[in-house]
Amino acid sequence: MRIIEQHCQGKRTDHSLNEDGLIITDDFAAVVDGATSKSVRHLWQPSGGVMAKDLALEVIAGLPADADMRQTQQAIDGRFRQAHSEHGADTAVFTDEPVERLQANAVVYSADRHEAWLFGDCQIMVNGEQIPTVKHVDELLGELRAFTALALRSKGEHQSPAAAATDPARAMILPFLRLQSQFANKRGPYGYFVFDGFTDPTYPIRTVNINPGDEVVLASDGYPLLRPSLAQSERELRRLKREDPELISEYQSTKGFTPGNDSFDDRTYLRFIA
C-alpha cells in the first residue's frame, strides 16, 4: 500500500471521545466506526462506541496476514463477546438488550487477498466509484427526524442546532433509535450488520475486489458526501454545515450539527494505492 492521505477527527475537542479510528499495517488497512451510544444503562466508559472502536482496532492489528473475511468477522465479534462476559454486568443484559452491547462498523482492506470487506455502513470508493452502504433503517429514521424537525418548526418550537445546544427532534426519535437495535444482524427490510458480539456467521458481507494500482478510499459515515480526495470531502462537509445545519434537507441524518462540535459526527478518511 502507498498511503496518499489520512485523517481521523472527533466531533468533540476531546480526542479521547472519538469513536472513529483507523489502522494501517503491512497486511491490512481499516476504518472503524464505533456506534453512537443509545444506551440506557451507560455500562461502558467513556462510551460503548470508544470501547468498541478500540477493541476492533486491537483485533485487526493482530490478524494473520492471510485472514479471510469470515475469520476477521469472527475475531472481532468474538472479542466483543469476550468483553461482554468480562463486564461486571449480568451477561443477560447483553443477550436481552441489544442497545447495551458494544457496537461497531468497519471497512477492512486485505492486501494479501486483494479484497475489501464492508462490515456495516462504513464507506469505500475505488477509482472514484463509491459503493452504496447506507442502511434502509437509517434512511427511515433520518426522514423521521426531518419530519419531526419540520413539524416542530411549523409550531414555532424548534431552533436550528446552529442556535440551540439541544436537538429536540433527535430527542423525540430516540425511542426509535433504540428500537433499531432489535434489527441488528437480522435479515429483512430493516435488518443490518453490526459487530456486537452476536453476529450471524453467514450474514452476507459485501466484498469488493481490489486490483494492484487501484486508488482506494475508506471512510466512516462522518463524511456524508464522500469525494475522491480529503479536501473535497471536507469542503462538502463544510458546505452542508453552512447550507443544511440541521441535516434535514439535502442529507437527512438522525443528528445534526450542534454548537461547540466540529461536525455532526466523528469522521475518518484514508486514501491509498493498492
Side-chain angles (χ1 to χ4, degrees), residues 2 37 42 48 53 73 78 81 86 94 110 117 136 139 157 163 181 192 206 212 216 223 234 248 271:
R2 178 168 65 84
S37 176
H42 306 293
K53 175 258 299 184
Q73 176 189 345
R81 194 160 52 250
E86 293 171 348
F94 305 112
S110 164
W117 310 312
H136 179 47
E139 293 177 320
E157 297 180 5
S181 66
Y192 60 95
R206 181 72 179 266
V216 181
Y223 287 103
E234 285 282 331
I248 60 173
R271 179 160 68 115

Side-chain angles (χ1 to χ4, degrees), residues 27-180:
D27 306 304
F28 296 96
V31 165
V32 177
D33 181 0
T36 301
S37 176
K38 292 90 177 174
S39 171
V40 176
R41 297 175 181 267
H42 306 293
L43 299 174
W44 307 98
Q45 298 298 327
S47 73
V50 171
M51 177 71 75
K53 175 258 299 184
D54 288 344
L55 290 178
L57 292 175
E58 172 191 300
V59 170
I60 295 168
L63 288 173
D66 63 349
D68 63 17
M69 180 267 289
R70 291 301 180 194
Q71 289 171 318
T72 301
Q73 176 189 345
Q74 291 164 12
I76 295 175
D77 210 53
R79 184 64 185 89
F80 284 18
R81 194 160 52 250
Q82 178 185 353
H84 292 154
S85 67
E86 293 171 348
H87 196 283
D90 184 348
T91 55
V93 169
F94 305 112
T95 302
D96 301 337
E97 303 175 36
V99 74
E100 302 297 340
R101 299 171 186 166
L102 295 172
Q103 298 176 64
N105 300 301
V107 54
V108 181
Y109 165 70
S110 164
D112 184 75
R113 294 185 175 274
H114 308 290
E115 294 177 343
W117 310 312
L118 287 160
F119 297 108
D121 60 4
C122 283
Q123 304 182 86
I124 186 169
M125 179 179 285
V126 181
N127 298 325
E129 181 178 348
Q130 184 175 359
I131 309 299
T133 58
V134 178
K135 304 194 297 282
H136 179 47
V137 69
D138 284 346
E139 293 177 320
L140 172 71
L141 296 180
E143 185 173 359
L144 179 61
R145 179 175 161 276
F147 165 84
T148 305
L150 291 171
L152 291 174
R153 181 187 296 175
S154 72
K155 294 176 63 178
E157 297 180 5
H158 188 52
Q159 289 180 307
S160 161
T166 59
D167 184 344
R170 180 175 174 84
M172 290 182 72
I173 71 165
L174 184 56
F176 295 98
L177 293 172
R178 288 176 172 144
L179 274 176
Q180 173 184 327

Side-chain angles (χ1 to χ4, degrees), residues 98 101 103 180-186 190-194 196:
R101 299 171 186 166
Q103 298 176 64
Q180 173 184 327
S181 66
Q182 297 296 324
F183 296 99
N185 299 304
K186 294 181 180 176
Y190 303 114
Y192 60 95
F193 180 95
V194 65
D196 67 352

Side-chain angles (χ1 to χ4, degrees), residues 21-22 78-79 98 117 208 270:
L22 65 83
R79 184 64 185 89
W117 310 312
V208 180
L270 173 62

